[in-house]
Amino acid sequence: QVQLVQSGAEVKKPGASVKVSCKASGYTFTNYGIIWVRQAPGQGLEWMGWISAYNGNTHYPQKLQGRVTMTTDSSTSTAFMELRSLRSDDTAVYYCARKGEARPPDYWGQGTLVTVSS
Amino acid sequence: DIQMTQSPSSLSASGGDRVTITCRASQGINNYLAWYQQKPGKVPKLLIYAASTLQSGVPSRFSGSGSGTDFTLTISSLQPEDVAAYYCQKYDGVPLTFGGGTKVEIK
């Protein structure tokens, strides 16, 4: 069965960086992309970007350009999302999700809480 | 970028009521529209894709309709377990924008 398992909760100070992992299993990793979504406390879902697990192509929203980097490691079927220069408003649950060509994100990771606090 | 506007932002209905949530795209999205349900403290769950295709295992009281820019999620008979936030998302290409969400409560 398809599973996406994310790394554990993180607490970071403002200005620091965080790197969240998302290990996929149950499907051919390079046949799909991975999107990252975050959700601040009490807020809606915010798309953070997409990476192709096939060739590493990425797309990030303008709002996060320069602060976010998404990568994959096909040898371990793992995707990574690094967010730099953390601010308090980056406090959120971060999700990864699988996305196929012309398909919606279907399987999601369990979420990783990142807390940014001095 | 295409914007996705959901309405209402919240609603309260009685058990058994028919509930309708709308999602409007600022430009046509070729029916690449998905609906998600997110219960409190849980991971979003895919309900409907391609505007009207029910994801496997989703109860038939959920349905989706619409095309082009205007889409609707309908719950034909609201159940207590349907209390959740519902989000639409375009997936025709990047950015994969979400609507702002609709919180559904039971009176």
Side-chain angles (χ1 to χ4, degrees), chain B residues 14-87:
Chain B
S14 299
D17 281 357
R18 183 181 185 88
V19 167
T20 299
I21 299 168
T22 63
C23 179
R24 174 166 288 176
S26 59
Q27 298 174 42
I29 57 172
N30 293 322
N31 293 359
Y32 287 104
L33 190 281
W35 290 97
Y36 296 89
Q37 176 192 64
Q38 187 181 32
K39 296 184 178 181
K42 300 298 187 182
V43 178
K45 173 187 173 184
L46 177 64
L47 295 179
I48 287 168
Y49 62 95
S52 60
T53 302
L54 209 61
Q55 177 73 340
S56 176
V58 174
S60 59
R61 64 180 179 273
F62 291 92
S63 64
S65 64
S67 63
T69 60
D70 293 309
F71 302 90
T72 300
L73 172 69
T74 299
I75 308 173
S76 61
S77 176
L78 188 66
Q79 301 300 307
E81 59 266 33
D82 301 334
V83 169
Y86 293 83
Y87 297 90

Side-chain angles (χ1 to χ4, degrees), chain A residues 34-97:
Chain A
I34 294 286
I35 72 163
W36 290 87
V37 174
R38 69 179 178 179
Q39 186 170 38
Q43 302 302 308
L45 302 173
E46 179 186 8
W47 177 74
M48 297 183 66
W50 165 88
I51 182 166
S52 166
Y54 174 70
N55 59 17
N57 285 350
T58 55
H59 188 97
Y60 311 128
Q62 186 73 22
K63 173 181 179 180
L64 295 176
Q65 285 276 359
R67 283 211 302 141
V68 68
T69 300
M70 295 175 187
T71 56
T72 59
D73 180 345
S74 58
S75 69
T76 59
S77 299
T78 303
F80 301 91
M81 186 283 299
E82 181 180 32
L83 189 60
R84 299 177 292 279
S85 303
L86 289 168
R87 310 185 290 245
S88 58
D89 62 357
D90 291 317
T91 294
V93 176
Y94 289 75
Y95 295 100
C96 62

Side-chain angles (χ1 to χ4, degrees), chain A residues 34 107 113 118:
Chain A
I34 294 286
Y107 289 90
L113 176 62
S118 54

